[in-house]
Amino acid sequence: MKLAIIGTGSQCQQHLRAWLTFREVTVVGIITQDSTLQQEAEENGITIYNRLESLIQYTDVDVIDIATPVRSPLELVTIAAEANIHVIYGTLAAINSNEVSKMISVCMKHKVQLLMGNTYRHTPEFIQARHQINKGLIGKTGVIRIRSGVPYPNNDDQINIDRNLFNEVGLPHFDWLRWTFGEAEMVMSRRVNHSEIEGTPIEYGFVTLRMTDGTIAYLECSWSDYAQHTSFELTGNKGMITYDSQDNNPLLLQNHLSTLIEYKKEGVDTRIFRHYLQCLLGNEKPAMSAEDVMKALQLADAANQSVAQGQPVFLSKGVECL
């Protein structure tokens, strides 16, 4: 399978190195203006292009991987789809639900795959937590708390894009909540921005969601941590599941029988890229569809709307009721 990558910075470099490990994939080109990335590509015999149209003109390609945020994602997806090229949109930053809806339409029209991912659908801790909830090991879920913090975005590694806390940090959690508990019927949120003494910007966001099954979810997102940090407490009437990425312990499940179940951590990136490849080869169905991405983004939209209006946003079967 012939693949090309679009992007810049360390994230694109990570994608390149990952794809080079798959013998089924040949990286035929990279579209970038990043000099460091260009050097690594040349060392691996990969041609550099300035524009997607040039790459399509001069080489055969089956799929493009948009590895980092871009200014005009819909334009790139449209160019690829019209050339019968499948699209992996691996980064969900700087994109909105309306753009995703249009991407879905153009890819369906030209019968190409649009693969968009959420790491939590491939992360053992979140997969196992959902599995235990579905098995009923903690009973009927009541109140759950999730916290996710990352450093403030380094725009030197991106292409001059607008950043949004709920769309970026919150999006994987919105998707996991829908995947695990069904649709949300109410979203209430607030957001705080300020700077540290040395001028480093900090942003916090707090979202309360009421799911249609009665579960109440409290989600805290932040651009303030020195390193990525995720934790959760999932409480039911029979027990609790807890996880903290900074602990050395694995995911722990404790119920009223005081049993303890451990799950070892595994790498996520390899899982995701292998899954994309199997989907493109027709061996697997996407773990997360583009429609799932669109609906998660709609929850982020609702959270942003709640901040702007200072009141809850009510939803019906995942569709906003204004």
Side-chain angles (χ1 to χ4, degrees):
M1 180 168 294
K2 297 178 180 178
L3 178 140
I5 305 173
I6 301 175
T8 186
S10 59
Q11 188 173 352
C12 187
Q13 187 178 53
Q14 179 182 342
H15 281 229
L16 170 60
R17 292 176 179 177
W19 285 120
L20 289 174
T21 65
F22 291 94
R23 57 182 177 81
E24 302 95 336
V25 175
T26 301
V27 180
V28 296
I30 298 180
I31 302 170
T32 187
Q33 296 180 350
D34 186 322
S35 58
T36 302
L37 194 59
Q38 289 176 351
Q39 180 179 351
E40 184 164 349
E42 291 170 357
E43 291 173 354
N44 286 280
I46 301 170
T47 305
I48 301 296
Y49 295 90
N50 291 324
R51 302 173 67 236
L52 178 58
E53 293 91 337
S54 300
L55 182 145
I56 293 172
Q57 180 179 357
Y58 293 108
T59 190
D60 292 329
V61 59
D62 301 308
V63 56
I64 63 165
D65 173 13
I66 303 175
T68 56
V70 292
R71 292 194 189 96
S72 305
L74 177 60
E75 179 182 349
L76 288 175
V77 171
T78 301
I79 292 171
E82 289 177 347
N84 295 314
I85 298 170
H86 302 294
V87 178
I88 297 171
Y89 199 91
T91 175
L92 300 181
I95 194 171
N96 58 57
S97 58
N98 184 50
E99 286 177 316
V100 175
S101 177
K102 292 177 179 178
M103 290 179 187
I104 293 170
S105 295
V106 72
C107 288
M108 288 183 62
K109 177 181 178 182
H110 294 282
K111 298 181 180 180
V112 299
Q113 292 193 58
L114 173 61
L115 299 174
M116 308 180 82
N118 179 353
T119 56
Y120 292 162
R121 297 208 182 199
H122 300 271
T123 303
E125 293 83 2
F126 282 88
I127 293 171
Q128 293 292 349
R130 178 178 182 270
H131 178 63
Q132 301 304 334
I133 288 170
N134 289 341
K135 285 177 63 177
L137 292 190
I138 64 170
K140 179 173 175 55
T141 50
V143 175
I144 68 173
R145 301 179 186 277
I146 304 176
R147 184 191 182 281
S148 184
V150 297
Y152 199 86
N154 176 12
N155 282 319
D156 291 339
D157 205 31
Q158 307 293 348
I159 302 179
N160 190 23
I161 57 170
D162 295 329
R163 315 303 299 245
N164 184 283
L165 179 67
F166 293 138
N167 287 50
E168 295 187 43
V169 181
L171 189 66
H173 300 285
F174 291 136
D175 173 65
W176 186 82
L177 289 169
R178 287 190 61 254
W179 188 41
T180 306
F181 302 104
E183 302 294 350
E185 60 183 19
M186 187 277 293
V187 177
M188 177 67 185
S189 59
R190 57 192 177 95
R191 191 168 55 221
V192 179
N193 299 277
H194 65 89
S195 298
E196 293 183 330
I197 297 175
E198 64 272 19
T200 303
I202 290 177
E203 188 168 342
Y204 296 93
F206 304 90
V207 187
T208 301
L209 303 99
R210 186 172 68 232
M211 314 305 290
T212 53
D213 71 346
T215 300
I216 301 296
Y218 295 106
L219 171 61
E220 176 186 349
C221 305
S222 76
W223 273 329
S224 65
D225 292 34
Y226 293 103
Q228 185 172 354
H229 177 210
T230 302
S231 62
F232 58 65
E233 294 180 356
L234 313 176
T235 306
N237 61 1
K238 295 182 181 179
M240 174 186 292
I241 302 173
T242 62
Y243 167 70
D244 191 318
S245 62
Q246 292 184 344
D247 289 346
N248 292 326
N249 294 325
L251 176 69
L252 302 179
L253 164 65
Q254 190 165 9
N255 59 24
H256 289 171
L257 298 176
S258 297
T259 58
L260 202 60
I261 301 176
E262 299 186 356
Y263 300 101
K264 295 181 179 180
K265 294 181 180 179
E266 297 180 30
V268 175
D269 293 336
T270 302
R271 286 169 169 257
I272 295 174
F273 286 105
R274 184 182 296 113
H275 174 64
Y276 287 154
L277 177 59
Q278 292 305 312
C279 290
L280 291 166
L281 294 174
N283 298 327
E284 294 180 7
K285 293 183 179 180
M288 181 184 189
S289 68
E291 288 81 3
D292 289 323
V293 174
M294 182 177 66
K295 290 180 179 180
L297 282 166
Q298 288 172 347
L299 289 182
D301 292 343
N304 288 314
Q305 181 180 336
S306 177
V307 169
Q309 297 180 348
Q311 59 185 15
V313 173
F314 293 94
L315 310 159
S316 175
K317 296 182 180 179
V319 179
E320 185 173 345
C321 296
L322 298 177

